[in-house]
Each structure stands twice: as C-alpha cells, then as structure tokens.
Amino acid sequence: MNPVEKGHKRVNGIQMYYEIYGSGKPLVLIHGGGSSILFDYKKVISRLETQFQLIGIDLQNHGMTEHRDIPETFEQDADDVAALLKELNIQKAAFFGFSNGGNTVMQIAHRHPETVGKLIIASAFYKRNGMMDGFFESMMDATLESMPESLKINFLNLNPDFSALENMFDKDSKRMQTFKDWSEDMLKSIKSPTLFISGDKDVMKPEHIVEMWRLVEGAQLMILPANHGSYMMADFEGNIDEKLIDLTINEVKKFLKV
C-alpha cells in the first residue's frame, strides 16, 4: 500500500498517526479495538482509493499513535478524530467505522455533527445486551494470551514495544468491561445519512443492528452472511472471501455516491 501522505499530528496531547490514500471526496476510516488502519481496511482501501480520498487514523494506544495514561472512551476517540481532521484542514467527510470504530463514528456524529457527511457503521453496538450471549462475561476474564495472535503480531510490527501492547490490551479491555449502555436518544440524534453493516454470525446480534437501524431516521441496513468483519477483511485465521468483500464495497460505493 502506497499512501500519498502519512505522518503524525499533535492532537489533544498525543502524536496521532494517519495515512491518506487516493483523492476525491474524503472518507475517514476508523479501525476496531486492538487493530490499526491497514489491518482492518487494506481490502477496502485497495477497492476505493481510485474514487475517494481515504484518511486512515490510528486511535490512541493503537498502531503508531501514542498512548495516554487515562482510560479509553469512545467519546475521547471521537474528539481526537475531529481534532485531527481540523489539523488536516478537512472540514467535512464521510466516516466508515468498524467494530469499536463504529462506536467511535457514532460518537463523532453525536458530538461533532458538523464534520459528518455520511456515516457507515459496521459491526458496532450501543447496548450491552446487543452483544452475543456471554460476550461481556468473557471480557471480564480476558487476558493478553486470549487476544487473537494476528492482532498481536500486527501491533508489534507497528510498535515493537511489548509494554505498549500490554497497555493497549489493558485499556481496550477495561473500556469494554466498564461500558454503560447508550440512550436511544443518542442514536436518534444522528441526522447524517447512515448505513449499518453487520454479519449474521457477528459478535453482536442481528436484531440489535436492526434496533439501531430503526433508531436512526432514514438509515440503510445490510446484514451479510459473515462473521465479525469477514465481509470487509480477512478473518482472524487469514481466510479471505474476495467476492463477499466486493459485494460489501460495491454497496458502500453506491451509498456514498447517491
């Protein structure tokens, strides 16, 4: 992958890393928990970089962005992204958030609505009971050893400091362990055109995605035959369904261009 620009900007007290691909209307890519720009979006970027300006961002504690000695919150991530876009002179953009990144872009739409054109929320949630049974119980017992090996390897390739990996895992885990349900009004406050995407075998229940879709006026919904993220990237075992990813990204393109 060859970004046209990459680097760090000082934002809210930390150096945040970003990469920009292609040109055209801006589309901001926000990765999931424990991940990074290319781990989640490599396949997306390869399909969209000739049609959009793609801005990938590593969030606090992740990838090549610095860490903070404060708890992670989706609200803080949203404020960081909005501030970084100001540093890049991007006034308004579409946003594509996957997994925890989907939660982050919901908070961007809620807290910084003036920056949001269209919104793609992929495999996210807003209430604890929307996750598959046992998810939060398993999070209480999570250890670094239980983190998918591919995510650990990806992190250490970007930042070989093992203590940074431990720090990221600890902060990501605590954010999920302490997550408190968001109100329906928070989702109802989203006024941007929105596309929800999820897999039918995802970590959140399909009926939860339907519930979210009903709360955002005029939103679109796509539930695919997939597990967590396999509709847009390789799964944790490295298996890739290129045709399924083609289907997803073709629908994303249609949504963004309407």
Side-chain angles (χ1 to χ4, degrees):
M1 309 297 291
N2 295 304
V4 297
E5 182 183 334
K6 63 181 179 179
H8 290 84
K9 296 284 186 184
R10 189 149 191 87
V11 171
N12 297 335
I14 58 172
Q15 292 286 342
M16 289 195 75
Y17 180 74
Y18 68 94
E19 295 179 353
I20 299 176
Y21 296 84
S23 61
K25 289 186 177 180
L27 172 62
V28 180
L29 309 175
I30 306 297
H31 64 75
S35 197
S36 65
I37 300 164
L38 290 184
F39 189 90
D40 285 359
Y41 285 101
K42 184 176 182 179
K43 294 290 181 181
V44 174
I45 291 169
S46 69
R47 286 164 168 79
L48 293 181
E49 65 178 330
T50 60
Q51 295 160 76
F52 299 93
Q53 181 191 43
L54 304 171
I55 302 130
I57 299 170
D58 281 343
L59 300 176
Q60 59 176 328
N61 307 309
H62 289 74
M64 290 192 279
T65 287
E66 289 182 341
H67 76 276
R68 289 189 176 96
D69 290 324
I70 60 172
E72 277 181 4
T73 67
F74 294 116
E75 293 83 354
Q76 179 69 64
D77 281 342
D79 293 350
D80 288 346
V81 170
L84 177 61
L85 293 178
K86 285 183 181 175
E87 290 293 320
L88 296 174
N89 296 312
I90 294 168
Q91 307 302 318
K92 195 165 192 171
F95 290 81
F96 187 159
F98 168 69
S99 195
N100 279 1
N103 292 63
T104 296
V105 300
M106 282 191 276
Q107 286 290 348
I108 293 169
H110 178 61
R111 297 166 72 85
H112 305 278
E114 70 286 351
T115 68
V116 180
K118 293 187 175 182
L119 198 61
I120 301 165
I121 300 167
S123 293
F125 71 103
Y126 85 109
K127 286 188 175 178
R128 293 173 74 94
N129 66 8
M131 301 298 275
M132 64 183 185
D133 295 340
F135 175 85
F136 283 100
E137 290 79 0
S138 68
M139 284 302 305
M140 298 307 292
D141 301 321
T143 64
L144 184 58
E145 287 68 39
S146 63
M147 183 179 179
E149 200 65 26
S150 54
L151 282 175
K152 286 190 273 193
I153 292 168
N154 176 68
F155 184 94
L156 292 170
N157 282 339
L158 297 170
N159 183 349
D161 180 357
F162 193 81
S163 66
L165 172 63
E166 292 175 314
N167 171 72
M168 179 272 289
F169 180 81
D170 179 60
K171 287 187 168 61
D172 267 11
S173 299
K174 282 191 169 56
R175 169 160 60 184
M176 298 306 282
Q177 291 164 1
T178 59
F179 181 83
K180 290 182 171 56
D181 291 355
W182 294 346
S183 71
E184 291 187 359
D185 287 341
M186 184 271 182
L187 269 81
K188 289 177 181 176
S189 75
I190 297 174
K191 301 305 180 186
S192 303
T194 301
L195 170 64
F196 287 97
I197 306 175
S198 191
D200 61 348
K201 298 176 285 294
D202 218 314
V203 295
M204 53 286 303
K205 301 168 185 172
E207 53 267 35
H208 186 61
I209 304 301
V210 172
E211 181 182 331
M212 294 167 71
W213 164 67
R214 293 190 189 283
L215 289 170
V216 179
E217 186 177 355
Q220 296 181 36
L221 172 65
M222 180 165 61
I223 296 178
L224 294 155
N227 56 31
H228 192 58
S230 63
Y231 52 79
M232 58 178 276
M233 67 178 88
D235 64 21
F236 287 136
E237 283 73 48
N239 303 307
I240 300 173
D241 188 335
E242 299 282 2
K243 288 184 177 179
L244 180 60
I245 297 172
D246 285 342
L247 172 64
T248 304
I249 302 309
N250 283 335
E251 291 301 317
V252 165
K253 281 193 286 190
K254 280 195 280 186
F255 169 73
L256 292 173
K257 289 185 173 181
V258 168

